[in-house]
Amino acid sequence: MEYINNVSGGGISASSGAVNKILCCECGVPIEPNATNMCVPCLRSHVDITENIPKQAVIFFCRNCERYLNPPNEWVQCSLESKELLSLCLKRLQGLRQVKLVDAGFVWTEPHSKRIKVKLTVHGEVMSDVVLQQVFVVEFTVNNQMCDDCHRTEAKDFWRCMVQVRQKAVNRKTLFYLEQMILKHKAHENTLGIKPNTGGLDFFYATDAHARKMVDFLQAVLPVKVTNSKKLISHDIHSNSYNYKYSYAVDIVPVSKGSLVCLNKRLTQQLGHIAPVCLVSKVANSIHLIDPQTAQMAEVQNMAYWKSPFEAICNPKQMVEFVVMDVEIIREHERKTFPGQGPVSHRHTLADVWVVKSAELGINENTIHVKSHLGNLLKPGDYVLGYDLREANVNNADYEKLKSETVPDVLLIKKSYDKTVRKQNRNWKLKHLNEDVAVDTDIENEYNEFLEDLEEDPELRQNVNIFKDKNKQQIPVDTNDMDDPSVPRITLEEMLDDLVLEDEEMGDDV
């Protein structure tokens, strides 16, 4: 402790300029004159400016959500030795209003000791005009207390509204796309919990407004059908108040990118007389279709689909690999057009392609002639995936009404690349809503197909946050892959840096 005094002019000699000393009224030690006429040790023994400030206090911490209690009922997220935690500790000291706080900082303690020590420097005025400065340490004990949100979670009564997202389809690529859209737009911020379920996800909310906001987001990004219900939990007959639990069932269209669908006659007429057998090129806020034989495009809106729903007659798991034997590009003036035809894709090039099944290469010399929209990608010797409708077991009423001569034998869907090489050279990654979910082999294969779609479709990547994979940055690129410049890749300009908590803390210290 030290004192800061304002010396009166009477104690200074005008001739010499020196301060005349006096004796301490308690111990008799010569001191410079001050308002108390006491030395520092005697003043310390008589006055303590921190006597009304507690030297020990208690703060409460929830171990489940790792938040601290900010009285009366607010729980805040604070890291150790942060500005937020220091502010929270100082609010627990009521006597600080009687003194002036000059400095405050943490004294290091072992992280698991449940003790937080704060070193304070304060100024206080005593006995008229004397200002004292004192440094002391306050020890905070961290007690465990479960917050209200975690308490409801443990009681299995933590949600008031639930949003069930389901897709009744064989392929889950649309669900993977939805997951990335939710992460990009942070639509899951208000969720109390996310639970993976068979064919979809369950989102739990504390209020109906948050659940409705999630439903509105799903309706904006995907063609869905929503049904809601409520269940009575309790009823107070005196106040006429009801307590309900609300549930929203969201059904996503049962098709995904790469699915082959068959349209009814009325829908084909509405879509510009497109061919009944079409390929799903993209599923966004509407279903995008393309005719692989003419490159004609069509778009099915949400309401139009649920009025005339259709399902996939073939899914990507039924694709067969073919070998391209010859390719002849069909020029613009050679294309057949008709009045009322819908728009044609300019990203694709029509071509006559002759293929052979890769399993029958060298055994069967009969080539299959196919009209395909992949003329700009294929060349002799390439591998391509497609549907062999001659051997497909299709159980669809609209498909059975079609004449056999109007149904193509083979439809080519996309060019095939070496999956092993693409997986090894993939130096990027995606984030997930739940990282701890176990993934079986079927889901992993479908997820790899979704990653390949991202590499092949730049428009699809615009709605997805792609992060650099630091674990694969140093892997050398395979020379065989570099020999083929047509292999789709994601450039470094399209990738984001994966933010880690340690990096963020280091950035704050700079």
Side-chain angles (χ1 to χ4, degrees), residues 83-237:
K83 297 179 181 179
E84 293 79 8
L85 183 59
L86 181 61
S87 175
L88 185 66
C89 293
L90 295 180
K91 289 180 181 179
R92 303 293 294 171
L93 302 178
Q94 300 295 333
L96 282 179
R97 296 181 179 180
Q98 302 176 5
V99 295
K100 181 181 178 181
L101 180 63
V102 178
D103 187 22
F106 287 101
V107 178
W108 187 88
T109 57
E110 206 279 327
H112 299 285
S113 63
K114 296 295 183 180
R115 297 291 187 275
I116 297 176
K117 294 183 179 181
V118 180
K119 183 180 180 181
L120 303 175
T121 302
V122 295
H123 283 178
E125 184 176 350
V126 295
M127 297 184 182
S128 66
D129 224 4
V130 177
V131 179
L132 295 182
Q133 175 177 302
Q134 188 168 346
V135 180
F136 63 102
V137 176
V138 179
E139 181 177 332
F140 293 88
T141 303
V142 181
N143 289 348
N144 295 325
Q145 178 177 325
M146 186 176 293
C147 64
D148 295 337
D149 295 336
C150 296
H151 184 73
R152 286 196 299 267
T153 303
E154 292 294 328
K156 307 299 181 183
D157 189 29
F158 62 98
W159 62 273
R160 288 292 176 266
C161 299
M162 178 174 60
V163 178
Q164 297 176 321
V165 181
R166 297 290 185 272
Q167 185 186 29
K168 300 176 182 178
V170 178
N171 196 284
R172 300 177 179 86
K173 288 195 289 186
T174 305
L175 287 175
F176 295 142
Y177 172 75
L178 175 62
E179 179 187 29
Q180 299 305 318
M181 288 287 290
I182 293 174
L183 289 171
K184 181 179 179 64
H185 297 280
K186 298 180 180 179
H188 63 296
E189 284 185 335
N190 298 320
T191 56
L192 297 179
I194 301 175
K195 179 181 178 183
N197 210 321
T198 304
L201 296 169
D202 292 339
F203 298 87
F204 301 95
Y205 296 91
T207 62
D208 187 36
H210 292 159
R212 288 180 179 272
K213 186 177 179 181
M214 184 65 175
V215 172
D216 293 340
F217 173 80
L218 296 176
Q219 290 177 327
V221 299
L222 285 178
V224 298
K225 181 175 65 174
V226 181
T227 57
N228 61 332
S229 63
K230 60 182 180 180
K231 179 182 178 182
L232 180 63
I233 303 300
S234 61
H235 174 213
D236 188 356
I237 60 175

Side-chain angles (χ1 to χ4, degrees), residues 422-468:
R422 292 182 67 175
K423 189 174 182 180
Q424 291 177 351
N425 296 332
R426 188 172 292 139
N427 57 351
W428 53 274
K429 63 180 181 179
L430 302 177
K431 291 188 176 182
H432 302 282
L433 292 174
N434 195 340
E435 301 284 353
D436 301 331
V437 178
V439 179
D440 56 17
T441 305
D442 292 339
I443 298 180
E444 184 178 1
N445 293 335
E446 294 174 1
Y447 181 68
N448 288 329
E449 292 178 4
F450 172 69
L451 298 182
E452 294 174 0
D453 291 341
L454 290 178
E455 294 174 339
E456 297 169 5
D457 192 351
E459 293 183 359
L460 189 64
R461 296 199 294 267
Q462 295 179 358
N463 297 324
V464 177
N465 285 337
I466 299 173
F467 298 91
K468 297 178 183 178

Side-chain angles (χ1 to χ4, degrees), residues 4-74:
I4 304 172
N5 60 335
N6 297 326
V7 182
S8 60
I12 303 177
S13 174
S15 60
S16 63
V19 178
N20 297 325
K21 294 186 178 181
I22 63 174
L23 297 179
C24 175
C25 62
E26 292 288 335
C27 62
V29 176
I31 60 173
E32 295 179 358
N34 58 67
T36 61
N37 294 329
M38 285 191 294
C39 62
V40 173
C42 295
L43 189 61
R44 183 188 299 122
S45 62
H46 284 77
V47 180
D48 184 10
I49 61 175
T50 65
E51 60 181 355
N52 294 327
I53 303 175
K55 304 304 184 292
Q56 292 182 342
V58 177
I59 59 175
F60 297 97
F61 175 74
C62 179
R63 293 183 296 179
N64 294 341
C65 60
E66 297 183 351
R67 295 185 298 175
Y68 291 89
L69 176 61
N70 185 17
N73 54 8
E74 182 185 4

Side-chain angles (χ1 to χ4, degrees), residues 358-399:
S358 59
E360 299 177 359
L361 187 63
I363 301 175
N364 187 0
E365 299 295 335
N366 298 327
T367 58
I368 305 172
H369 172 253
V370 184
K371 281 190 175 181
S372 176
H373 63 302
L374 303 177
N376 57 330
L377 299 177
L378 300 180
K379 61 182 183 295
D382 288 342
Y383 290 90
V384 63
L385 297 175
Y387 295 113
D388 190 353
L389 297 180
R390 300 171 303 175
E391 301 178 357
N393 184 13
V394 180
N395 185 13
N396 186 276
D398 295 325
Y399 183 80

